[in-house]
Amino acid sequence: MDNIQAIRGTKDILPSEVIYWQYLEKTVGEILAKANYQEIRTPIFEQTSLFERGIGEATDVVGKEMYTFTDRGERSITLRPEGTAGVVRSYIQHKLFASGGVERLWYGGAMFRYERPQAGRQRQFHQIGLELLGSKAARADVEVIAVACDILKTLGLKNLSLQLNSVGSKEDRQTYRQALVDYLTPYKDDLDSDSQDRLSRNPLRILDSKDQKTQEIAKNAPNILDYLGDDSRNHFEKVCSLLNDLNISYQLNPRLVRGLDYYTHTAFEIQSSDLGAQATVCGGGRYDGLVSQLGGLETPAIGWAMGIERLILLLEQLQPLKPQNPDIYFVSRGEKAENQALIIAQELRHTGFKVELDLTGSNFAKQFKRGDRSGAKICLVLGDSEVEQKVIQVKDLKTSEQKTVSQKELIKLLSN
Ligand code: ATP
Ligand code: MG
């Protein structure tokens, strides 16, 4: 019988890799706390309609990538493909807006999209994201971008570029959309087949097609920044000038439109040149229409999400992180000694030591070998004669120095 394997597009995160995750989570958590973002945890599955209404049916995510099933109560359920829709649903449901001010939230966890798995692209993947709800100020856009930059900088990541665009208001986009369709229609037959489909459904997405011929055509497409109304342009200029004030460098990228429907005004991505094809580590933007679209009050908002797997790929290139070794490796042999070792190990742990107990019952030589390999500094040795004399042997694994001490004195001795 074949062994059961993890499902295609999912990955076990083994202990040697978990260290990177823990380091990342700790670092990110600290930076988010400094800017006073509060963590929120929403369910992994939601009503399918939340994503249909929130993300938009013409998007790839909703159209092709969702894990949707009918549960035993005949409800249509979807595993969340992203975090914002759930957070906004929760914000509305629990009236988090009632405080009247700005709500700063962050989340982390697994997301699910039915995509073609490859390096940096999985079917179950993980994101950390934040949402700032209740402010339409350009300062809000810049705050969330600055927090993202702080995170990546603190993690030590290099070779990143911040790509920035504005997709304007809904009205600006209507005008632009028409101009774009007018420009692209004569080239229709030369576009890749996905883009041909999008020409009527979601033409802006054609701009970030990965197809080379489509890209050539898109190069000369009208620039969305030329279609912004006065308010949109003012907002965007403010964002740019505040980023300059904070010494955050960026590249204007008029072809950056982002995959989800709900974006308005500022859209941005942070890309790494060390990742190959899946280069985007952080994507975000303003989504002033989403809260009302999901039944809440008109609420401006902006947020971003980072792909943790891609960040981990970068961290692994930077520096090897190793699991922490135990302080003490405890070998024992003979029933009485083994039982007593269990008790002493527990006392040592309560005192603060990290202790690994050898449970194999094999001969001392074999246990010592494992002790050497464990990376511990100290090996404790307990046999029947030690139990009788109420002593224990303490071996320094670096110098191989060994001494016999009374069990009573042990903790005092180790603590020095
Ligand atoms: P892409 O263009 O790479 O598909 P996207 O625009 O679909 O990205 P978002 O929905 O903005 O991505 O998600 C934010 C971030 O989450 C991405 O920048 C990426 O780092 C990560 N991400 C998205 N989809 C996946 C996936 N299938 N596997 C791993 N990470 C992902
Ligand atoms: Mg995608």
Side-chain angles (χ1 to χ4, degrees), residues 226-400:
D226 296 331
Y227 289 78
L228 300 185
D230 288 347
D231 288 352
S232 302
R233 197 193 325 275
N234 283 340
H235 181 86
F236 191 55
E237 279 169 4
K238 231 183 205 164
V239 169
C240 293
S241 106
L242 289 169
L243 285 172
N244 293 335
D245 292 348
L246 287 180
N247 287 322
I248 296 176
S249 48
Y250 55 86
Q251 274 174 293
L252 292 183
N253 180 352
R255 283 197 294 280
L256 180 81
V257 289
R258 313 274 309 122
L260 316 179
D261 259 6
Y262 50 60
Y263 287 109
T264 51
H265 301 288
T266 312
F268 63 93
E269 284 189 357
I270 303 176
Q271 295 170 355
S272 161
S273 53
D274 298 334
L275 274 178
Q278 308 336 306
T280 306
V281 292
C282 176
R286 184 165 271 289
Y287 53 92
D288 292 346
L290 182 62
V291 181
S292 58
Q293 198 173 309
L294 291 177
L297 303 171
E298 202 68 52
T299 309
I302 181 159
W304 51 248
M306 292 188 186
I308 303 186
E309 279 79 4
R310 295 184 194 177
L311 294 178
I312 301 278
L313 286 171
L314 291 172
L315 283 178
E316 285 172 341
Q317 292 174 18
L318 269 186
Q319 48 165 339
L321 294 180
K322 292 237 153 44
Q324 227 194 341
N325 294 326
D327 303 312
I328 297 171
Y329 195 84
F330 206 145
V331 311
S332 58
R333 192 163 156 81
E335 196 183 338
K336 270 192 195 153
E338 286 167 359
N339 291 350
Q340 200 172 344
L342 185 70
I343 296 167
I344 298 176
Q346 189 71 347
E347 279 172 23
L348 288 167
R349 290 177 188 133
H350 293 164
T351 320
F353 292 101
K354 188 172 171 186
V355 185
E356 181 174 340
L357 194 55
D358 192 308
L359 293 173
T360 58
S362 50
N363 66 40
F364 274 124
K366 281 190 180 159
Q367 293 195 47
F368 280 136
K369 227 178 224 160
R370 271 191 295 276
D372 279 331
R373 275 201 306 260
S374 74
K377 291 186 272 309
I378 288 168
C379 186
L380 293 180
V381 189
L382 203 61
D384 287 338
S385 59
E386 282 84 7
V387 173
E388 228 153 75
Q389 295 163 43
K390 297 196 167 57
V391 294
I392 188 163
Q393 295 194 47
V394 181
K395 184 175 174 190
D396 184 316
L397 285 173
K398 269 213 189 97
T399 60
S400 291

Side-chain angles (χ1 to χ4, degrees), residues 102-283:
V102 163
E103 200 63 28
R104 289 179 169 86
L105 302 168
W106 73 270
Y107 61 85
M111 307 292 159
F112 305 84
R113 297 184 192 178
Y114 195 80
E115 302 198 67
R116 195 167 67 78
Q118 51 203 290
R121 189 175 297 285
Q122 297 173 198
R123 291 183 174 170
Q124 174 176 325
F125 63 101
H126 298 77
Q127 289 183 334
I128 282 187
L130 65 71
E131 316 293 350
L132 191 164
L133 296 121
S135 172
K136 61 178 198 301
R139 281 174 296 141
D141 305 39
V142 174
E143 174 180 303
V144 302
I145 293 173
V147 170
C149 292
D150 266 355
I151 287 173
L152 300 171
K153 193 169 161 200
T154 309
L155 290 172
L157 306 186
K158 305 251 156 54
N159 304 325
L160 298 168
S161 81
L162 168 62
Q163 306 278 312
L164 189 67
N165 194 21
S166 171
V167 294
S169 66
K170 234 180 165 175
E171 296 72 39
D172 301 335
R173 267 206 285 181
Q174 283 301 314
T175 331
Y176 176 67
R177 183 189 162 114
Q178 195 51 54
L180 187 62
V181 171
D182 291 347
Y183 167 81
L184 289 171
T185 304
Y187 298 104
K188 181 163 181 188
D189 293 342
D190 298 326
L191 298 174
D192 61 280
S193 66
D194 267 356
S195 296
Q196 292 185 9
D197 266 6
R198 287 179 178 140
L199 199 52
S200 54
R201 286 190 304 123
N202 196 355
L204 267 67
R205 282 292 277 167
I206 297 173
L207 296 176
D208 71 358
S209 162
K210 308 277 186 288
D211 179 81
Q212 212 180 351
K213 208 161 172 201
T214 304
Q215 278 182 358
E216 279 300 311
I217 297 168
K219 257 188 197 154
N220 298 317
N223 184 335
I224 193 161
L225 294 175
D226 296 331
Y227 289 78
L228 300 185
D230 288 347
D231 288 352
S232 302
R233 197 193 325 275
N234 283 340
H235 181 86
F236 191 55
E237 279 169 4
K238 231 183 205 164
V239 169
C240 293
S241 106
L242 289 169
L243 285 172
N244 293 335
D245 292 348
L246 287 180
N247 287 322
I248 296 176
S249 48
Y250 55 86
Q251 274 174 293
L252 292 183
N253 180 352
R255 283 197 294 280
L256 180 81
V257 289
R258 313 274 309 122
L260 316 179
D261 259 6
Y262 50 60
Y263 287 109
T264 51
H265 301 288
T266 312
F268 63 93
E269 284 189 357
I270 303 176
Q271 295 170 355
S272 161
S273 53
D274 298 334
L275 274 178
Q278 308 336 306
T280 306
V281 292
C282 176

Side-chain angles (χ1 to χ4, degrees), residues 38-49:
Q38 311 280 328
E39 185 177 359
I40 182 167
R41 301 188 185 190
T42 64
I44 279 181
F45 53 63
E46 299 269 0
Q47 282 181 36
T48 302
S49 57

